Amino acid sequence: MNDCLFCKIITGDIPCSKVYEDEFVFAFRDINPQAPVHVLVLPKEHICCADKIDGTNSHLVAKCFEAIAKIASAEGLTNGYRVINNCGEDGGQTVKHLHFHVLGGEKLSEKMA
Ligand code: 5GP
Ligand code: ZN
């Protein structure tokens, strides 16, 4: 966990452009945005990936989605947006701390992959 990039961002050891924080959730702008709005939303508790969501931590996922609705509103995404999770190697996950990409601010591609 000490080696986790996103844990270091949450603690402030690595700087970020923070957009939201509460007791359970942290969110910041992606360093390499794929849309006009591209925010990463993650639980403060280190969960490596969606594959490890279970009955002990799924409430943190719910907290993420509560935050996503607030962030989308604050970012002006009134016409909709996309939430993406990449899980594991085939899913293209590069940072092994569960996170949800929130993309919007334009009409997104209809392609999912
Ligand atoms: P993944 O590929 O794991 O689903 O998404 C990781 C995301 O983290 C990528 O979109 C990448 O641009 C973003 N990212 C990687 N390193 C940093 C960083 O140091 N700061 C920020 N803000 N985003 C990062
Ligand atoms: Zn972490």
Side-chain angles (χ1 to χ4, degrees), residues 5-24:
L5 172 67
F6 285 176
C7 281
K8 289 176 182 163
I9 287 177
I10 290 165
T11 57
D13 292 324
I14 292 175
C16 73
S17 177
K18 183 169 84 173
V19 299
Y20 179 87
E21 180 176 12
D22 65 29
E23 185 180 352
F24 303 103

Side-chain angles (χ1 to χ4, degrees), residues 5-6 9 14-16 28-32 38 40 86 92-95 99 101:
L5 172 67
F6 285 176
I9 287 177
I14 292 175
C16 73
F28 53 95
R29 298 192 193 284
D30 196 294
I31 205 166
N32 182 25
H38 186 171
L40 302 175
N86 297 324
Q93 184 178 7
T94 58
V95 181
H99 56 280
H101 298 254

Side-chain angles (χ1 to χ4, degrees), residues 1 4-7 10 45-47 96-97:
M1 192 188 299
C4 174
L5 172 67
F6 285 176
C7 281
I10 290 165
E45 181 176 312
H46 182 90
I47 302 169
K96 305 295 194 263
H97 182 129

Side-chain angles (χ1 to χ4, degrees), residues 80-93:
Y81 53 94
R82 181 169 293 158
V83 181
I84 293 174
N85 170 257
N86 297 324
C87 180
E89 287 304 310
D90 282 2
Q93 184 178 7

Side-chain angles (χ1 to χ4, degrees), residues 13-111:
D13 292 324
I14 292 175
C16 73
S17 177
K18 183 169 84 173
V19 299
Y20 179 87
E21 180 176 12
D22 65 29
E23 185 180 352
F24 303 103
V25 179
F26 198 89
F28 53 95
R29 298 192 193 284
D30 196 294
I31 205 166
N32 182 25
Q34 305 297 310
V37 174
H38 186 171
V39 174
L40 302 175
V41 182
L42 41 145
K44 286 182 169 177
E45 181 176 312
H46 182 90
I47 302 169
C48 77
C49 55
D51 205 41
K52 300 298 182 209
I53 297 168
D54 60 22
T56 69
N57 59 24
S58 59
H59 62 289
L60 300 173
V61 178
K63 292 292 184 189
C64 285
F65 275 80
E66 290 178 36
I68 285 169
K70 293 179 192 167
I71 292 162
S73 176
E75 295 288 325
L77 304 180
T78 53
N79 207 37
Y81 53 94
R82 181 169 293 158
V83 181
I84 293 174
N85 170 257
N86 297 324
C87 180
E89 287 304 310
D90 282 2
Q93 184 178 7
T94 58
V95 181
K96 305 295 194 263
H97 182 129
L98 177 66
H99 56 280
F100 300 97
H101 298 254
V102 178
L103 298 156
E106 66 182 8
K107 176 76 176 159
L108 299 168
S109 162
E110 291 177 11
K111 290 178 71 174

